[in-house]
Amino acid sequence: YHTAIHPSLYTDVNGQYRGRDMKTHTAQGYSVYSVFSIWDTYRAIHPLYTIIDSSIDRQFIQTFLRQYEQGGALPVWELSANETNCMIGYHSVSVIADAYLKGITGFDANEALKAMKHSTESEERGLPALREYGYIPANKGSESVSQTLELGYDDWCIAQMAKALSNMDDYAAYIKLAQAYKNEYNPNNGFMQGRMNGAFVKPFNPRAVTFDYTEANAWQYSFYAPQDMSGLIALHGGKEKLAQMLDTLFTTNSIMTGREQPDITGMIGQYAQGNEPSHHIAYLYNYVGQPWNTAKYVRQLEKFYTSQPDGICGNDDCGELSAWYVMSAIGMYQVCPGDGQFELTSPLFDTIKIHLESGKTFSIISQKSKPNSICIKSATLNGKDYKQSYLRYTDLMNGGNLHYNLDDMLFLDTYYDSTIILSNWGVRNNVPIDSIPASKYIVPQPYFEYTNAIFTDSLKVTLKGFSPKDSVCIVRQIVDSTGSSSIRAELYTKPFYIHESGNYGYYMPHQKRANTTGHEQWEWEYLSVTTQFTKIPKGRKIKIVSKPNSQYTAGGPQALIDYQHGGTDFRLGQWQGYQSQDFEAVVDLGKEETISEVNAEFLQDTRSWILMPKYVDFSVSDDSIHFTPVAHVENTLPDTTFDPTIESLGKKITPQKTRYVKVFVKNYGKLPAWHPGFGDDAFIFIDEIEIK
């Protein structure tokens, strides 16, 4: 019932509907639907429909194509002919590719591919940064890790569609983009971790819910590379290593830190059944040859579902949580829509019959050695021995009988440390495979290591490749004190020190070739990764009297005097946020200096409770005790300016010598009656304090 609530029929009885262009259209030969929560539903609802009602899935795709035709883009999260742009990715491409590659046609496949490619040309969702850097840096797009990973899967879907249509140029381009996940993998800890300024973001806690992830933390997103599980296993160093990390995920405690996120519910360890990013993870045990653990955890997760009013452990998201349950109760789940295979586990019921549209029936029958047996010891498909822990879609749709013999947890402690294997089902070569061809592999990008990109005297910088054998050419753009710049390129061999501000990038070899003397040479590929190191005056520091919100610290007090300026997206972590209080801080210049201008930058994002302060006061002192006012600056930006806006509140002053500068910022106060947060306290968002 829950899986059939949405998407909803949107055509009237005469076939008319309102299009994305707000005009009236008439559908002929199909119905138009609305409410596409695709970030959620591409995972289980649409694969379920390809089994039980492919005709309606086809109509969903026809609706997608009409929305592309009438509104200029495939839906992301469509509601009543409006694009909300809620959530991440462009997962319409998953629904289209999965259906087409399963043989569900009846729509223009070439038009569909054109529409799919158009989704990648958007200036939203961090796409420009992804194409430039090979991943989305944390300061270039919010939820950067999740965006990078999920867009990589979407690009894989486009690659598969292009390949099916014999468009090999597009296939080659998108299969490369599909490997972006490699650039978010930190080989030092095994987690998918945000990157910024060429380095992995610090501090890092995999339990922390931050703006680098979508409704999740690093634990819940570090297993997301469904299009290339073989590649993910290789990054971890083999099946056993990935299995051990899966074990830790499910057995560690459920304590989380960072942002409050009500969607993260239904916890087993750091696994969250109440939200979609975790939904495929239990089935990954099949990929590492431990199907008994898939059975173990799927059965535990099914217990989160009851017939009580609170019988779903999270937001059902247009039926997606329910679809996970339906698929898992049947005993199968499609980890990677588009690959044509379902990962198998023991079903919840002894006998299941799936009545297919063709009139055929696919039956799943389980015979248990004991009443509570859940592990598949052996199986037959249509009477023949079947050892694989996955089932092809084509085999399911042909109808037939899948018969299981279920036993107890016999294999848990014997697989890796003993030659005694009590079953051949789902182990060794009988595991599902999702992999990108080796000929299309990309090498994970190198990364910098340093204490802080802002320094005073000198800074030690290390450049690391994913493998010690990686050759990297470091490119240095040095800016001297006069503002002149110079560029040097050389093979990186060891850590180096920098003493002035500058930008650094690197080349990586991507193809070998031989020169006329027969010696091997590399052709180098510039990866557009630029790291900016900034030298600030020695001794300059800041003491903040106020206490920032724990979600908006910008990395610490020095962020307010680091010569770096925040952008209009507060979620990128470049701003410090203060609520229910005024802001007060004292900047120590380190020595007496002559100053003639004082400024502080603020962000206004009215819809997010962030408003300009009422005013800013600046005062100076020689001893940090007795201060003399030098500037009072009133805000003039109306609170009804809804577009995110940055304003600098400051002024030039009579030149004078001083060492300490106090900045006092008066909070807006309570939100007005017209605001949806009426009565709540507004935020001050401050970034750079400039003293010249």
Side-chain angles (χ1 to χ4, degrees), residues 411-444:
F411 324 111
L412 194 57
D413 300 319
T414 62
Y415 181 57
Y416 287 117
D417 57 4
S418 171
T419 58
I420 302 174
I421 303 296
L422 301 181
S423 171
N424 285 323
W425 192 86
V427 300
R428 296 195 176 99
N429 295 326
N430 300 316
V431 301
I433 297 175
D434 280 300
S435 63
I436 289 173
S439 62
K440 303 297 182 183
Y441 278 0
I442 67 166
V443 178

Side-chain angles (χ1 to χ4, degrees), residues 32 79 101 108 185 268 301 355 411:
V32 168
L79 176 66
L101 294 167
D108 188 328
Y185 178 80
I268 297 181
L301 294 168
H355 301 284
F411 324 111

Side-chain angles (χ1 to χ4, degrees), residues 7-24:
S8 305
L9 185 65
Y10 202 56
T11 43
D12 208 337
V13 292
N14 61 358
Q16 290 186 328
Y17 66 96
R18 182 174 63 182
R20 286 276 297 278
D21 55 4
M22 297 296 112
K23 297 179 181 178
T24 300

Side-chain angles (χ1 to χ4, degrees), residues 326-517:
V326 171
M327 294 295 293
S328 295
I330 293 172
M332 61 181 69
Y333 187 84
Q334 191 169 11
V335 166
C336 182
D339 68 357
Q341 69 186 20
F342 295 93
E343 282 57 67
L344 298 175
T345 193
S346 56
L348 188 61
F349 306 99
D350 293 340
T351 301
I352 295 171
K353 290 186 177 182
I354 303 173
H355 301 284
L356 304 170
E357 293 172 280
S358 63
K360 298 177 181 179
T361 300
F362 189 85
S363 300
I364 306 172
I365 301 169
S366 300
Q367 184 175 346
K368 301 176 180 178
S369 63
K370 296 179 182 178
N372 294 323
S373 295
I374 62 170
C375 293
I376 300 172
K377 185 175 182 180
S378 63
T380 60
L381 178 62
N382 298 327
K384 296 181 180 179
D385 193 23
Y386 194 78
K387 293 184 173 66
Q388 288 78 21
S389 61
Y390 60 92
L391 180 70
R392 302 299 301 178
Y393 174 80
T394 50
D395 290 332
L396 190 159
M397 300 307 286
N398 284 332
N401 295 281
L402 180 60
H403 190 281
Y404 291 128
N405 289 313
L406 304 184
D407 214 326
D408 292 334
M409 299 285 289
L410 299 175
F411 324 111
L412 194 57
D413 300 319
T414 62
Y415 181 57
Y416 287 117
D417 57 4
S418 171
T419 58
I420 302 174
I421 303 296
L422 301 181
S423 171
N424 285 323
W425 192 86
V427 300
R428 296 195 176 99
N429 295 326
N430 300 316
V431 301
I433 297 175
D434 280 300
S435 63
I436 289 173
S439 62
K440 303 297 182 183
Y441 278 0
I442 67 166
V443 178
Q445 290 186 17
Y447 56 94
F448 289 105
E449 286 187 346
Y450 48 82
T451 53
N452 195 313
I454 312 301
F455 66 99
T456 54
D457 291 316
S458 62
L459 179 67
K460 181 181 179 181
V461 179
T462 302
L463 180 59
K464 289 187 174 182
F466 183 80
S467 167
K469 298 179 181 180
D470 290 345
S471 296
V472 183
C473 185
I474 186 75
V475 182
R476 313 183 191 193
Q477 182 182 20
I478 307 297
V479 181
D480 62 25
S481 58
T482 67
S484 299
S485 65
S486 59
I487 297 177
R488 295 204 310 266
E490 60 190 44
L491 189 66
Y492 175 85
T493 57
K494 61 182 180 180
F496 57 91
Y497 286 85
I498 60 176
H499 303 278
E500 299 294 338
S501 297
N503 295 327
Y504 289 71
Y506 51 74
Y507 289 92
M508 281 188 62
H510 71 106
Q511 184 178 353
K512 293 179 181 179
R513 62 181 175 86
N515 65 13
T516 55
T517 62

Side-chain angles (χ1 to χ4, degrees), residues 247-258:
D247 292 343
T248 305
L249 167 78
F250 282 105
T251 57
T252 190
N253 68 59
S254 298
I255 297 173
M256 289 181 290
T257 62

